Amino acid sequence: MSRIRRMILGTAVTTLVATGAAFFSAAPSWRSLPEGTGVVKLSFTHGGARNCRQLDAEELARLPANMRKREICDRERAALRLELDIDGEPALRAELPPSGLAGDGPARIYKRFPLGAGDHEIAVRLADTGRAEGFDYEAARRITLKAEQNLAIDFRPEQGGFVFN
């Protein structure tokens, strides 16, 4: 094959590949959410409380001097109890076990809730101390969700609990 024929064939193949790539980068159109919908994402990592107790003077005296601590704690963490309500309706009820082989790691959650654009009431509650009744952290917000908006709900105990971003 002559050099000119190879150049023409190479140009044609390159043009065909570039045109195909340009077409498929714009069509068919794809949307991750239906029109007029936003997403509320609940995502955090948090370790539940440990069961700790104070040692009395007799127990401290029995321990070697280098091992004397006033408080001892179990290795395993408490499971988290989590509730999320959207517009007064239960959207999530979960018990999140601690991670790790010994149950000593943090619990994790990531959930998406597609919602129509507009005003919504969000209430979220968390118990991280192993208690059976009530919650240690609670937050309620009225949000205005825009179409294609992502609203993240995070948990940061150092900031007082739930953070809406």
Side-chain angles (χ1 to χ4, degrees):
M1 206 188 290
S2 73
R3 185 169 189 246
I4 293 178
R5 290 176 95 185
R6 282 189 301 220
M7 286 177 58
I8 291 172
L9 183 61
T11 302
V13 169
T14 302
T15 303
L16 183 65
V17 169
T19 303
F23 173 76
F24 286 114
S25 69
S29 66
W30 178 81
R31 299 180 60 86
S32 63
L33 294 172
E35 189 78 29
T37 303
V39 177
V40 172
K41 295 178 182 178
L42 177 63
S43 175
F44 64 86
T45 300
H46 177 64
R50 290 194 162 119
N51 184 20
C52 297
R53 70 177 183 88
Q54 298 290 326
L55 295 177
D56 60 26
E58 184 180 309
E59 289 175 312
L60 281 172
R62 284 192 304 237
L63 292 172
N66 65 331
M67 295 183 69
R68 292 182 184 159
K69 294 189 296 184
R70 292 228 174 267
E71 183 178 71
I72 60 169
C73 299
D74 294 340
R75 184 171 180 179
E76 187 173 331
R77 292 184 176 272
L80 305 182
R81 192 166 41 88
L82 178 67
E83 294 185 357
L84 174 72
D85 296 339
I86 300 176
D87 296 329
E89 297 293 322
L92 176 69
R93 300 290 186 261
E95 184 160 320
L96 309 173
S99 61
L101 293 174
D104 58 348
R108 293 175 174 84
I109 188 165
Y110 174 79
K111 294 282 185 186
R112 298 178 69 217
F113 302 93
L115 298 173
D119 292 341
H120 297 281
E121 293 286 334
I122 307 285
V124 61
R125 297 172 289 280
L126 176 72
D128 67 350
T129 56
R131 66 195 299 184
E133 297 294 322
F135 295 94
D136 302 302
Y137 298 92
E138 296 186 45
R141 300 276 189 288
R142 181 171 187 80
I143 61 159
T144 301
L145 193 64
K146 297 176 186 141
E148 300 180 12
Q149 178 184 357
N150 284 303
L151 173 74
I153 303 173
D154 194 4
F155 180 75
R156 297 188 189 135
E158 68 276 1
Q159 293 182 10
F162 292 98
V163 178
F164 291 70
N165 292 324

